[in-house]
Amino acid sequence: MDMTSGYPYPLGATIDDNGVNFSLFSAHATKVVLCLFDPSGQVEVAQYIMRVSTRQIWHCHLADAKAGLLYGYRVFGPYQPELGHRFNHHKLLLDPYAKKLVGEVIQHPALYGYDVDDPTEDLSFDTQDSAAYMPKCQVIDHQFVDDIPIAPLQTPLYKSVLFETHVKGFTKQHPLVDTAKQGTFAGFSSQAVIDYLQELGVTGVELLPVHGFFDEPFLTEKGLNNYWGYNSIAFMAPHSGYIANKNGDIAEFRHMVSRLHQAGIEVILDVVFNHTAEGNHLGPTYSFRGIDNASYYRLLPNDKRFNINDTGCGNTFNLNHPLVLMLVMDSLRYWVEVMGVDGFRFDLASCLGREVYGFDPGSGFFDAITQDPVLCKVKLIAEPWDIGPGGYQLGNYPVAFSEWNDRYRDAMRRFWRGDGGMLPEFAKRFHGSSDFFEHNGRGPSASINFITSHDGFTLHDLVSYQQRHNLANGEENRDGHQENCSDNYGVEGETNDQEINAIRERQKRNLLTCLLLSQGVPMLLAGDESGQSQQGNNNAYCQDNPLGWFDWDVIDWSLVSYTAKLISLRKRFPMLCHQAFIHKPEALFDNGLAWFNRQGEVMTKSHWCEHHTRTLSVIITGNLGHADIGAGPESTEALLLLINVDYQSHTFTLPQLAHLKHWHCLIHTQASEPAVDSNQQVKLMDRSLMLFHTEFTKE
């Protein structure tokens, strides 16, 4: 094919009327070679030296090149680890803008830029060719992807109910999904899966990483693999293992989004831009390290041989560099504009907002997203921490972001476990965590509330285990969180004790009820609604097997039904989704939230300070028209939640308030529904709750 100089933008491989343009950023390279492969990906059939560099972007154009072409790069430059440079032209490198990867990485010493047997480690230089062990990039014409229609949804975040799940794990064992499609995007878009999600009532799925990712070598050596996928290497390519089509058609992903949108379900992607699969200074060379290590990664200022490791994964991606930031922004826009997703959850997001001097809510990354005309319209969710200095930043993100609220998680767990002195903390979290999010004008939807997530116990295990049981991970049970705020109620793990099992079932329902009734945005972990267990493993990142997969043969359908009812109640009553924090109603019929003790008295400062009190009531008022102020009684309703987290039963007196009468029970977690007596009293058994409803009455 005839080669011309081409053009620097857009980066990556871009099809035009005359062929394909190739463009790659490297600030410190001395030469870049484009390598082409035969359709098998095994034979390197041509090399083209990219002789033109415009503002550190190397580019060329191949006439008559077409979609489907397999390629990679070899990048020449200094190999000086002490100065941060790790160029090694013997290593085939992936295009950071690759839209599709063909083939799998095969662990081999040739993947490393240094001789793994040399005592000087990465100060040595390896001359083995890595091409045979690397997947190849494929030129993609995404016009055929664009042709798949996607109906816009734009569900307001404050009305959302999110469902965190895994493309493979959720569908791998589904009996009604075609075997060839189990564990894939096609399987996730199957009617049986969509029917389940619709019947449950969730408004959006939050998918664990779907970007192209590789397994860590240390897992491969143990016969395990990275199941969760938090080891990205290709920010624009759907993970090839999740594509069912034999030809690896990436349109399968957009088809999944299209089908979910038709069912009224949004798609949010968990994205990993804080680190890559290349690990620390002793890790393999797949892409960024060999293209320009000193630009793509943050390195120790006084010894550039070593990576800054604010992620705990060996390296930290350098979003302080404008071209690296451009890559991330281009990736996000690609998944919105081409693949049709509705938002993102940013893994270890404090890394993304960290400037040289530390975390900054006005960092370049946050500013870039906020001003972007595409990305400012989608849902943005931060995991507001990393392990670096000053990494815990809950509540300190820009107004465009919502945040995973681990303070909510821990408060709910400890409260229902029966820990003392938890009333004030519980109330703050139930109210939407205004102490974290209101200071910069955000509302309750800034708080993504969750009891469990992929990282930790499932809900069933949370009430069945006190200790982690992670031996299957091959790390002698040292991995995973040590403190889980959990309880087993007398027996570690599964038991035939009916009393213990009854407590566990109540506790699961208690926690789910509080999650769906709290102000903020609820996020369910897939399987919590059906009683899924990981046998006490609280770090199942490498359990790509039935332990980590959703078990469709063992489902507690009564719990599924209970969860679906909770979601329907949340959708029915607008007062559960207030857009602003409610501190004191402006008028009698305005939105309100008021706390009472079990005697029906308004909570006072002394009541809140009672360390051993484990009972509480709350009335939430609101109007069906979503009016902020001035609502009339004809459109105003109230919910009353009675809570007993104590180890013994207690009698509650319903609060006696004007305009609030004729309470009737909507849902409860007791063995049977007790009646309210003539004195407006009701008895709640230990570890249970009841939810009542009434409409305002004129007097």
Side-chain angles (χ1 to χ4, degrees):
M1 288 177 278
D2 293 335
M3 184 183 77
T4 56
S5 60
Y7 38 89
Y9 297 102
L11 284 109
T14 306
I15 295 175
D16 59 29
D17 293 340
N18 301 310
V20 178
N21 190 79
F22 294 88
S23 177
L24 181 76
F25 160 71
S26 179
H28 300 99
T30 57
K31 182 171 71 172
V32 176
V33 177
L34 171 66
C35 306
L36 304 185
F37 291 81
D38 74 342
S40 72
Q42 299 302 310
V43 180
E44 191 169 344
V45 296
Q47 292 187 344
Y48 294 88
I49 299 175
M50 303 170 72
R51 302 185 183 280
V52 181
S53 174
T54 303
R55 299 178 183 176
Q56 302 177 338
I57 296 176
W58 301 75
H59 50 91
C60 71
H61 185 277
L62 295 186
D64 300 323
K66 301 182 184 301
L69 187 67
L70 300 184
Y71 71 99
Y73 290 105
R74 299 183 187 276
V75 181
F76 292 71
Y79 188 84
Q80 299 172 316
E82 302 96 327
L83 300 179
H85 301 309
R86 296 180 179 272
F87 295 98
N88 187 334
H89 61 277
H90 301 286
K91 311 305 170 184
L92 186 75
L93 306 174
L94 300 175
D95 181 358
Y97 278 78
K99 306 299 192 300
K100 178 183 170 184
L101 302 183
V102 175
E104 302 294 333
V105 66
I106 301 172
Q107 294 300 329
H108 190 275
L111 296 173
Y112 295 79
Y114 63 95
D115 183 347
V116 295
D117 295 321
D118 193 297
T120 64
E121 297 181 320
D122 59 310
L123 298 179
S124 63
F125 187 79
D126 184 72
T127 59
Q128 298 178 84
D129 193 321
S130 69
Y133 311 101
M134 284 289 293
K136 311 304 182 292
C137 308
Q138 187 173 62
V139 176
I140 290 295
D141 181 359
H142 59 72
Q143 180 60 52
F144 67 93
V145 180
D146 296 340
D147 292 339
I148 300 172
I150 292 183
L153 289 179
Q154 297 179 333
T155 304
L157 186 58
Y158 72 91
K159 289 186 176 181
S160 296
V161 178
L162 304 180
F163 189 73
E164 191 196 27
T165 188
H166 190 286
V167 168
K168 180 176 183 179
F170 195 58
T171 63
K172 184 62 179 176
Q173 299 187 109
H174 200 302
L176 299 181
V177 174
D178 184 89
T179 303
K181 296 180 178 180
Q182 290 176 343
T184 68
F185 301 125
F188 205 94
S189 65
S190 66
Q191 192 59 49
V193 171
I194 290 176
D195 286 346
Y196 180 85
L197 295 173
Q198 281 189 304
E199 291 167 8
L200 189 60
V202 297
T203 67
V205 290
E206 185 175 304
L207 301 179
L208 268 66
V210 300
H211 289 171
F213 63 86
F214 292 165
D215 297 327
E216 294 90 336
F218 79 90
L219 285 178
T220 304
E221 292 173 1
K222 293 189 292 186
L224 300 170
N225 62 284
N226 190 318
Y227 167 55
W228 285 350
Y230 290 92
N231 209 36
S232 298
I233 195 65
F235 299 144
M236 295 188 182
H239 184 59
S240 57
Y242 299 161
I243 299 176
N245 187 291
K246 293 181 180 179
N247 297 320
D249 188 349
I250 65 170
E252 187 177 313
F253 181 90
R254 183 173 169 108
H255 178 73
M256 176 192 73
V257 176
S258 177
R259 292 268 294 146
L260 288 167
H261 272 217
Q262 291 172 33
I265 300 169
E266 293 188 315
V267 177
I268 295 173
L269 298 187
D270 196 334
V271 290
V272 185
F273 295 120
N274 56 79
H275 75 282
T276 78
E278 292 184 307
N280 64 15
H281 64 292
L282 298 179
T285 296
Y286 298 134
S287 178
F288 309 104
R289 173 167 285 140
I291 294 172
D292 192 348
N293 184 69
S295 294
Y296 281 103
Y297 293 112
R298 295 183 64 214
L299 308 176
L300 291 178
N302 299 325
D303 192 347
K304 295 183 182 300
R305 177 185 176 188
F306 300 102
N307 297 80
I308 291 175
N309 186 21
D310 291 337
T311 65
C313 299
N315 63 58
T316 304
F317 212 51
N318 184 22
L319 268 70
N320 302 134
H321 193 291
L323 270 297
V324 180
L325 177 60
M326 179 186 290
L327 167 62
V328 171
M329 297 297 291
D330 287 345
S331 168
L332 293 171
R333 279 191 294 269
Y334 176 78
W335 287 97
V336 173
E337 295 184 302
V338 176
M339 292 301 196
V341 305
D342 304 280
F344 304 95
R345 179 266 191 188
F346 296 91
D347 182 62
L348 298 182
S350 291
C351 283
L352 312 182
R354 185 178 274 110
E355 300 287 355
V356 174
Y357 50 82
F359 178 84
D360 186 349
S363 70
F365 170 73
F366 292 139
D367 287 347
I369 282 190
T370 301
Q371 64 78 43
D372 188 277
V374 173
L375 301 178
C376 70
K377 300 175 185 177
V378 304
K379 293 176 174 63
L380 304 171
I381 300 171
E383 182 183 38
W385 53 77
D386 64 20
I387 68 166
Y392 188 79
Q393 293 293 334
L394 179 68
N396 293 328
Y397 279 71
V399 295
F401 280 76
S402 295
E403 304 173 32
W404 268 28
N405 190 346
D406 65 322
R407 285 287 295 271
Y408 178 94
R409 175 198 66 196
D410 293 348
M412 291 297 158
R413 291 182 177 193
R414 293 184 59 208
F415 179 70
W416 279 105
R417 187 172 63 175
D419 291 13
M422 289 299 298
L423 294 184
E425 181 71 3
F426 169 82
K428 290 177 183 177
R429 303 309 142 228
F430 188 90
H431 177 250
S433 298
S434 62
D435 52 334
F436 286 108
F437 302 113
E438 193 174 23
H439 65 91
N440 61 356
R442 288 186 288 176
S445 62
S447 178
I448 304 298
N449 299 330
F450 63 103
I451 304 296
T452 62
S453 68
H454 68 275
D455 188 6
F457 280 147
T458 66
L459 181 61
H460 178 83
D461 290 356
L462 183 69
V463 298
S464 304
Y465 295 89
Q466 283 187 326
Q467 307 296 329
R468 63 192 176 192
H469 296 265
N470 298 353
L471 287 174
N473 297 351
E475 299 180 44
E476 298 181 353
N477 208 36
R478 295 191 300 264
D479 61 306
H481 297 294
Q482 185 170 358
E483 175 50 57
N484 299 281
C485 304
S486 63
D487 198 352
N488 62 23
Y489 301 99
V491 174
E492 186 75 352
E494 301 304 315
T495 179
N496 292 322
D497 188 305
Q498 294 184 3
E499 183 176 349
I500 292 176
N501 285 331
I503 293 173
R504 291 176 177 179
E505 291 306 313
R506 289 203 304 277
Q507 291 290 60
K508 284 189 279 188
R509 286 162 173 78
N510 291 331
L511 288 161
L512 287 170
T513 303
C514 284
L515 176 64
L516 270 302
L517 298 185
S518 295
Q519 300 296 304
V521 181
M523 184 188 77
L524 286 165
L525 172 65
D528 281 357
E529 81 288 355
S530 62
Q532 301 284 302
S533 173
Q534 292 174 171
Q535 299 175 21
N537 191 317
N538 74 349
N539 188 33
Y541 78 103
C542 57
Q543 297 302 320
D544 189 4
N545 53 56
L547 181 68
W549 300 339
F550 193 102
D551 190 346
W552 292 92
D553 291 329
V554 181
I555 291 182
D556 181 349
W557 288 106
S558 66
L559 186 58
V560 172
S561 177
Y562 184 87
T563 307
K565 184 174 183 179
L566 287 172
I567 294 174
S568 68
L569 289 175
R570 185 174 182 87
K571 293 178 178 179
R572 173 183 168 186
F573 296 112
M575 68 277 274
L576 298 176
C577 309
H578 286 319
Q579 297 184 58
F581 289 106
I582 305 300
H583 296 295
K584 185 177 180 181
E586 298 291 332
L588 177 62
F589 299 110
D590 288 341
N591 297 331
L593 194 151
W595 298 94
F596 303 86
N597 63 16
R598 72 170 180 267
Q599 288 78 30
E601 303 166 340
V602 175
M603 290 286 287
T604 64
K605 185 176 181 179
S606 62
H607 290 147
W608 288 114
C609 295
E610 293 174 354
H611 182 81
H612 298 294
T613 298
R614 294 181 173 86
T615 57
L616 194 63
S617 301
V618 59
I619 290 180
I620 311 167
T621 59
N623 62 86
L624 299 179
H626 296 280
D628 292 328
I629 59 174
E634 67 280 355
S635 62
T636 306
E637 297 182 293
L639 295 173
L640 167 62
L641 180 64
L642 308 181
I643 299 172
N644 179 20
V645 301
D646 207 351
Y647 312 121
Q648 57 184 333
S649 62
H650 287 285
T651 297
F652 284 68
T653 300
L654 305 190
Q656 303 300 302
L657 299 176
H659 306 285
L660 293 179
K661 297 179 180 179
H662 311 299
W663 294 103
H664 68 274
C665 183
L666 293 175
I667 203 165
H668 65 90
T669 59
Q670 306 205 103
S672 60
E673 180 180 337
V676 178
D677 64 22
S678 59
N679 295 319
Q680 292 296 291
Q681 293 184 330
V682 63
K683 188 173 183 179
L684 265 68
M685 67 184 299
D686 63 290
R687 304 179 183 92
S688 67
L689 55 75
M690 295 186 70
L691 178 67
F692 293 87
H693 167 255
T694 190
E695 296 180 359
F696 278 78
T697 59
K698 294 183 179 180
E699 291 188 356

